[in-house]
Amino acid sequence: MINLAKRVIRQTLNDKRSVMMILVAPLLILTLVYLLLGDSSYVPTIGMDKDTMPAPAVTALEEQELKVVEISNDDTDDAKNYLKDHQEIDAVINLSKSSGMDITLYEPSKKGTIAVSEIQKAMSTLNPSAKVTMNYVYGKQDESTFDSLGYVFLALFSFFLVFIISGMALVRERSGGTLERLLMTPIKRGEVILGYTLGYSVFAIVQAILIVFYSIYILGLNSVGNIGWILLVMVLLAITAVSFGAMISVFASSELQVVQMIPFTIIPQVFFSGLIPLDLIPYHLGNLCYIMPIYYGAAAIKGVMVYGDGFLQIWGYLLGLITYALLLYLLNTLALKKFRKL
C-alpha cells in the first residue's frame, strides 16, 4: 500500500500539468475571483431636473455616493429614450404626484442596484415611507435570474461543450496515429485543420439550433430580437470553439491533459462573458474581455435577445468572432509543423 502511494506521488510530481492543476490553478482562480468580485469603488451616475425636485431631496442625494447630473424636465419625462442615448447615466429620477418617486434604469444590473440603493438611502432620511416606482428601458424588475443571464449560458454551454469534444477528439486522433498517417499523404496542413473544423462544425450547428430553440420555446427564455441572428452568433461561436479546442490539443498528449487546461483556458472566460458588469471590474481588468472569444458571442447574443439589435448593432462582435476563428486557424496550421514539415 505504501509503495503504491509512493508511486502515485512520484507519477503526479513528474506530471507538471497535474501539479499546476492541484497547486497553482486554485490560487489563480481565487485571485481572479477576488479581483472581479471584490469591493467595487464604482460611483453611480444619476440624472434629474433639480428645479422640479425639492431642495432637501437634492441635498440628500448629493450627500450619498452618487454623481448627480442635471438634465432637463423633458428628459426626465421621457427617461427611457434619454437612457438609450446616454448609457453612461445609470438612473433617471423624477417626482410624480401620483406615483411618488419614479426611478428609471437601463436594465436590471448590478450598477442599477447600486444606484437604487444610494437613492433609497437618501430618501429614507427624508421620508422612510416614500413610495418608489421602478421602471426599466429593457427587462423588468421581477424577471428571473435565468431571464437576466440566459444569454450568457447559451454562449458558455455552446463554447464549452464543443471545445471539450473537439479538443479530446483531436488528441485521440493524434495519440492513435491517425493524424500522423494523414499527414503522410499529399494533403496540406491547412486542409487538415479546415477538414476537422468543418466536420465538427456540422455538429456545432445542430447543437446551436437545438439549444436556441429549446431555451426560447421550451424553457421560455425571453428574446425580443430576430432568432436568426442568435443562431448565426451561436454557429460562429461554436466554430471558434472547435478551433480553440484544436489549438489546445496541440499542447496536450492525452484527453486528461485537455481537461487539466480548462482552469486556465475556459474558467477565466466565464468571468468576462457578461456574468459580471465589465465596467465594475477594478484595475481596468474588464478590458481583458477583448481577448476572450466567449465575450464576443455573449455580447452579441445579449444585444439580440435583450435589446432587439440587428446586424448594424452586432456586426463588431461578429467580426471579432470571425477574426478569432481565422487567427486560430492560422495558428493551428503552423502548429502542425511539429508533426510534418512541408
Side-chain angles (χ1 to χ4, degrees), residues 182-192 340 342:
L182 182 62
L183 290 173
M184 293 175 64
T185 66
I187 190 172
K188 296 181 180 180
R189 296 192 307 269
E191 294 175 345
V192 172
R340 183 190 74 179
L342 296 179

Side-chain angles (χ1 to χ4, degrees), residues 99-120:
S99 59
M101 173 170 284
D102 290 326
I103 303 177
T104 305
L105 306 170
Y106 189 70
E107 61 180 329
S109 65
K110 186 176 180 180
K111 292 196 303 180
T113 301
I114 296 174
V116 171
S117 176
E118 294 298 325
I119 293 172
Q120 290 177 334

Side-chain angles (χ1 to χ4, degrees), residues 216-276:
I216 294 177
Y217 296 108
I218 303 300
L219 300 182
L221 181 63
N222 292 327
S223 177
V224 298
N226 190 317
I227 194 173
W229 293 120
I230 302 175
L231 291 172
L232 176 61
V233 174
M234 291 282 286
V235 169
L236 289 177
L237 189 62
I239 292 174
T240 304
V242 172
S243 300
F244 196 79
M247 188 67 204
I248 295 301
S249 69
V250 172
F251 303 98
S253 57
S254 66
E255 290 92 335
L256 176 61
Q257 290 182 359
V258 174
V259 176
Q260 289 175 335
M261 291 183 183
I262 290 176
F264 304 100
T265 57
I266 300 298
I267 292 180
Q269 295 193 59
V270 173
F271 296 111
F272 294 92
S273 61
L275 290 175
I276 304 170

Side-chain angles (χ1 to χ4, degrees), residues 138-139 143 146-148 150-151 154 212-213 215-217 219-231 300-309:
Y138 298 103
E143 69 181 9
F146 182 67
D147 284 329
S148 300
Y151 67 91
L154 289 182
V212 171
F213 278 88
S215 300
I216 294 177
Y217 296 108
L219 300 182
L221 181 63
N222 292 327
S223 177
V224 298
N226 190 317
I227 194 173
W229 293 120
I230 302 175
L231 291 172
I301 294 173
K302 179 182 180 180
V304 177
M305 299 188 74
V306 179
Y307 306 143
D309 290 345

Side-chain angles (χ1 to χ4, degrees), residues 329-342:
Y329 169 76
L330 294 176
L331 292 176
N332 287 328
T333 302
L334 293 175
L336 284 186
K337 282 186 176 181
K338 64 184 293 185
F339 303 107
R340 183 190 74 179
K341 296 184 179 180
L342 296 179

Side-chain angles (χ1 to χ4, degrees), residues 3 35 47 74 257 281 328:
N3 291 333
L35 292 173
D74 291 338
Q257 290 182 359
I281 300 176
L328 288 172

Side-chain angles (χ1 to χ4, degrees), residues 3-4 19 35 43 45 73 83 87 130 134 160 164 192-193 203 212 218 223 225 247 280 328:
N3 291 333
L4 178 59
V19 174
L35 292 173
V43 177
T45 301
N73 186 46
L83 287 175
Q87 295 184 27
M134 304 287 295
F160 178 72
I164 287 292
V192 172
I193 296 299
F203 297 98
V212 171
I218 303 300
S223 177
M247 188 67 204
L280 292 185
L328 288 172

